[in-house]
């Protein structure tokens, strides 16, 4: 297995995306070790001392005023993890868990958590050997850390709970043993360091960002195909229009669409004599909408890469100042805002794509395409209900896009009285992306069908390559047939990046 060596504060989105998509292992740069061990020594000194230090020799949350004897500090950490394993619901996908573990490694690598290098080595070993904790996905409110899900991760490191190894779910102790790894006995503060942090929320937000960006790139390609299908104008893609406004995403989106449509016989056929003065907004304003959404996603990305490289547990060991200080870096408000931003972007990309689908199936708006894109309307319904499905998914995404970070409720006997709700704010993103992929898949089916109705006129070379790739998986729709498989296969082409690869276009990059 390929292993990436990560240096905290220098890790990139591209590296994290490789870990997420390719299942790569990760290790910390060995240069991190002295700082990690120095902070651990400060915690050991505090544990042996008489002064109360939160999370080292005290209880937790509302119980922080309860002093714990030095002989009980190891049991304190074990009890903390076991009592906090309160996650419910479906298990996190393995790719998300591995990304979460990697983010925890990065946080430890900042040298402010006070954990021994032994914990770092165990996380590295689990990533290398493929031991993946079974982590229920519900139970975090995104403040005081993602306590419940991270506790399940930490429990597996202790040999408690369950983990997956070589495709099988088993007791974590067995998984570690089969992988040749030894469970850790947590020392002072180490349990708290494992669960105080935003790594669950950040992992889900990053996964939504990575998948959402691919969908946004695909939307540019498919929307160009839709433009040709309805014989739309390329005049609104004129570069000066977008330069005059100045937004980077809009400029890039227009450039991609211009390149994709260049050389289209369909476009050239109606430059003169077209009685339409303007196209509907879903065609004319594609760069302004999809480009703006991509700008928003980039803003969210800038927040998430900072968070990915951050120390977010509590208390933090400030070795240069000689202090162990309680703060609030575990509060996932930045991640919550980023997740809400991504959700808004996904919703809007899907909203305008759905209007293009509606445009193409409506004979009064599609510029002479047959009703519902079937060659024999009446006897056949064609893509009528596929469009209805996109409307349902668009509406669902609109509801899911409502902000979560504005919600809060006090927890832990009012000690933790404002929380971010970043966890489910980030977790909903994957469902939104899947909905968007289905919308774009239907748009792809409609656009390809529409372009084929324009024969003998041909679309551009890149867009014809997209249609050719589609037809390798899904035949042109003639008489009505069972449609669910077509929709699923089209969405898969979007999700797997086949559409953008077929176009061979220079697409906007995330970072």
């Amino acid at each position: 297995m390929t292993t990436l060596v990560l240096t905290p504060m220098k890790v990139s989105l591209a590296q994290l995306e490789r870990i997420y998509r390719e299942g790569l292992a990760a290790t910390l740069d060995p240069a991190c070790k002295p700082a990690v061990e120095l902070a651990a020594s400060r915690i050991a000194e505090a544990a042996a001392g008489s002064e109360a230090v939160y999370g080292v020799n005290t209880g937790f949350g509302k119980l922080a005023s309860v002093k714990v004897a030095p002989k009980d500090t190891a049991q304190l950490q074990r009890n903390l993890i076991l009592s906090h394993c309160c996650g419910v619901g479906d298990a996190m996908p393995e790719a998300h868990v591995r990304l979460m573990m990697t983010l925890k490694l990065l946080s430890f690598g900042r040298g402010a958590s006070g954990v021994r290098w032994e914990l770092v080595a165990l996380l590295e070993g689990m990533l290398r050997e493929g031991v993946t904790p079974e982590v229920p996905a519900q139970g975090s409110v995104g403040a005081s850390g993602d306590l419940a899900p991270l506790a399940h991760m930490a429990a597996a490191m202790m040999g408690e709970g369950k983990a997956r190894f070589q495709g099988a779910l088993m007791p974590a102790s067995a998984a570690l043993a089969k992988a040749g790894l030894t469970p850790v006995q947590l020392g002072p503060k180490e349990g708290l360091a494992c669960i105080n942090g935003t790594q669950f929320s950040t992992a889900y937000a990053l996964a939504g960002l990575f998948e959402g960006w691919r969908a946004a790139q695909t939307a540019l390609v498919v929307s160009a195909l839709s433009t040709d299908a309805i014989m739309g104008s390329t005049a609104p893609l004129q570069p000066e229009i977008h330069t005059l406004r100045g937004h980077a995403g809009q400029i890039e989106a227009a450039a991609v669409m211009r390149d994709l449509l260049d050389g289209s016989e369909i476009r050239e056929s109606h430059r003169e004599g077209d009685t339409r003065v303007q196209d509907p907004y879903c065609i004319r304003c594609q760069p302004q909408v999809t480009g703006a959404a991509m700008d928003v996603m980039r803003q969210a990305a800038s927040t998430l890469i900072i968070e990915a490289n951050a120390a977010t547990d509590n208390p933090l060991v400030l070795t240069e100042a000689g202090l162990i200080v309680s703060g609030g870096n575990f509060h996932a408000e930045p991640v919550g805002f980023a997740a809400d931003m991504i959700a808004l972007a996904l919703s809007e990309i899907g909203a305008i794509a759905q209007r293009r689908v509606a445009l193409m199936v409506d004979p009064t708006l599609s510029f002479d395409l047959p009703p519902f894109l079937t060659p024999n309307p009446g006897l056949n319904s064609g893509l009528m209900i596929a469009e209805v499905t996109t409307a349902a998914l668009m509406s669902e995404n609109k509801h899911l896009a409502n902000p979560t970070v504005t919600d809060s409720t006090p927890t832990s006997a009012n000690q933790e009285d404002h929380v971010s709700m970043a966890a489910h704010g980030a977790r909903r993103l994957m469902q939104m992306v899947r909905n968007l992929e289905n919308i774009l898949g239907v748009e792809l089916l409609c656009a390809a069908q529409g372009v084929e109705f324009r024969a003998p006129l041909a679309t551009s070379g890149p867009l014809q390559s997209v249609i050719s790739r589609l037809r390798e998986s899904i035949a042109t729709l003639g008489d009505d047939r069972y449609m669910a498989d077509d929709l699923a296969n089209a969405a898969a082409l979007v999700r797997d990046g086949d559409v953008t690869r077929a176009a061979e276009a220079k697409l906007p990059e995330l970072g």
Side-chain angles (χ1 to χ4, degrees):
M1 178 183 291
T2 302
T3 300
L4 293 183
V5 179
L6 305 179
T7 302
M9 297 189 288
K10 295 183 179 178
V11 171
S12 67
L13 287 168
Q15 288 176 305
L16 295 175
E17 185 167 9
R18 288 196 66 197
I19 290 167
Y20 169 70
R21 291 195 184 279
E22 300 174 35
L24 303 184
T27 63
L28 282 182
D29 185 335
C32 298
K33 188 173 184 178
V36 170
E37 292 187 326
L38 178 59
S41 71
R42 296 286 189 266
I43 291 295
E45 292 168 5
S50 59
E51 183 180 346
V53 179
Y54 174 70
V56 177
N57 53 14
T58 72
F60 306 102
K62 195 74 170 179
L63 303 175
S65 60
V66 179
K67 186 79 159 49
V68 176
K71 67 181 180 64
D72 293 327
T73 55
Q75 187 64 44
L76 174 70
Q77 299 300 313
R78 179 177 176 81
N79 289 351
L80 172 71
I81 298 305
L82 297 179
S83 69
H84 283 53
C85 285
C86 292
V88 299
D90 295 336
M92 291 176 69
E94 288 191 50
H96 292 62
V97 179
R98 290 178 62 84
L99 183 56
M100 179 176 74
M101 294 165 71
T102 301
L103 297 175
K104 182 55 74 175
L105 264 183
L106 289 172
S107 186
F108 285 167
R110 292 296 299 271
S113 296
V115 301
R116 294 164 294 156
W117 192 257
E118 182 181 344
L119 269 73
V120 171
L122 179 56
L123 276 173
E124 291 175 341
M126 292 170 74
L127 289 167
R128 180 184 66 248
E129 302 299 331
V131 177
T132 307
E134 182 86 344
V135 180
Q138 292 174 274
S140 174
V141 295
S144 197
D146 291 315
L147 296 173
L150 288 171
H152 284 274
M153 180 198 76
M157 297 169 68
M158 296 162 47
E160 301 288 348
K162 296 180 180 180
R164 292 192 177 274
F165 180 67
Q166 295 182 345
L169 181 64
M170 61 188 74
S173 57
L176 291 172
K178 288 177 181 290
L181 301 171
T182 303
V184 69
Q185 182 174 345
L186 297 174
K189 192 193 173 284
E190 289 180 335
L192 193 60
C194 285
I195 67 173
N196 253 348
T198 66
Q199 288 77 33
F200 171 91
S201 297
T202 305
Y204 264 98
L206 284 168
L209 176 70
F210 297 148
E211 301 281 3
W213 189 261
R214 178 175 285 180
Q217 290 177 318
T218 303
L220 294 178
V221 177
V222 177
S223 64
L225 192 62
S226 298
T227 300
D228 237 12
I230 63 101
M231 289 189 157
S233 173
T234 56
L237 303 177
Q238 190 75 14
E240 292 85 352
I241 294 173
H242 308 286
T243 302
L244 281 167
R245 197 173 198 185
H247 292 296
Q250 177 180 330
I251 292 168
E252 291 172 294
V256 169
M257 294 184 67
R258 281 197 308 276
D259 290 345
L260 287 169
L261 286 159
D262 186 43
S264 167
E265 293 178 1
I266 296 173
R267 173 62 187 121
E268 295 305 317
S269 72
H270 62 96
R271 283 192 183 274
E272 297 181 5
D274 193 332
T275 57
R276 298 169 297 172
V277 177
Q278 293 181 326
D279 291 318
Y281 287 179
C282 68
I283 297 296
R284 195 181 354 146
C285 300
Q286 292 172 88
Q288 287 84 353
V289 175
T290 305
M294 296 178 93
D295 280 342
V296 167
M297 293 173 77
R298 283 172 170 154
Q299 292 171 34
S302 68
T303 294
L304 293 176
I305 195 58
I306 292 171
E307 191 74 6
N309 283 278
T312 58
D313 64 280
N314 181 65
L316 292 172
V317 184
L318 311 180
T319 52
E320 291 187 6
L323 299 172
I324 301 173
V325 183
S326 287
N329 281 4
F330 52 71
H331 200 297
E333 195 83 356
V335 183
F337 276 121
D340 283 347
M341 292 165 68
I342 296 167
L344 290 169
L346 296 174
S347 180
E348 280 299 276
I349 294 169
I352 195 168
Q354 199 282 327
R355 297 318 304 155
R356 293 191 295 267
V357 172
L359 186 72
M360 288 184 282
V361 301
D362 186 342
T364 63
L365 299 173
S366 65
F367 203 54
D368 298 328
L369 292 176
F372 305 108
L373 298 168
T374 175
N376 190 10
L379 179 63
N380 292 295
S381 296
L383 289 157
M384 177 190 295
I385 304 305
E387 185 268 331
V388 174
T389 297
T390 65
L393 296 174
M394 173 190 68
S395 185
E396 183 177 323
N397 270 5
K398 287 178 180 179
H399 285 278
L400 288 170
N402 282 307
T404 63
V405 78
T406 53
D407 188 21
S408 181
T409 189
T411 63
S412 192
N414 282 299
Q415 177 75 4
E416 297 153 10
D417 59 351
H418 182 278
V419 297
S420 71
M421 298 300 180
H424 66 268
R427 192 162 47 82
R428 66 175 158 171
L429 296 178
M430 200 55 66
Q431 181 60 51
M432 294 187 70
V433 171
R434 296 293 171 251
N435 290 345
L436 176 56
E437 290 165 350
N438 278 291
I439 293 170
L440 294 173
V442 172
E443 184 185 2
L444 175 62
L445 293 173
C446 291
Q449 189 91 353
V451 165
E452 288 169 339
F453 276 120
R454 302 298 183 187
L457 297 173
T459 189
S460 68
L463 294 179
Q464 185 55 55
S465 295
V466 171
I467 295 175
S468 297
R469 175 61 190 91
L470 173 68
R471 295 302 175 222
E472 291 174 13
S473 302
I474 304 168
T476 301
L477 183 61
D479 289 335
D480 283 349
R481 60 177 183 243
Y482 183 77
M483 291 297 295
D485 291 343
D486 288 1
L487 269 61
N489 290 334
L493 293 178
V494 175
R495 180 169 58 254
D496 296 338
D498 288 50
V499 175
T500 52
R501 279 193 295 273
E504 295 185 340
K506 182 175 173 53
L507 296 166
E509 296 295 334
L510 179 57

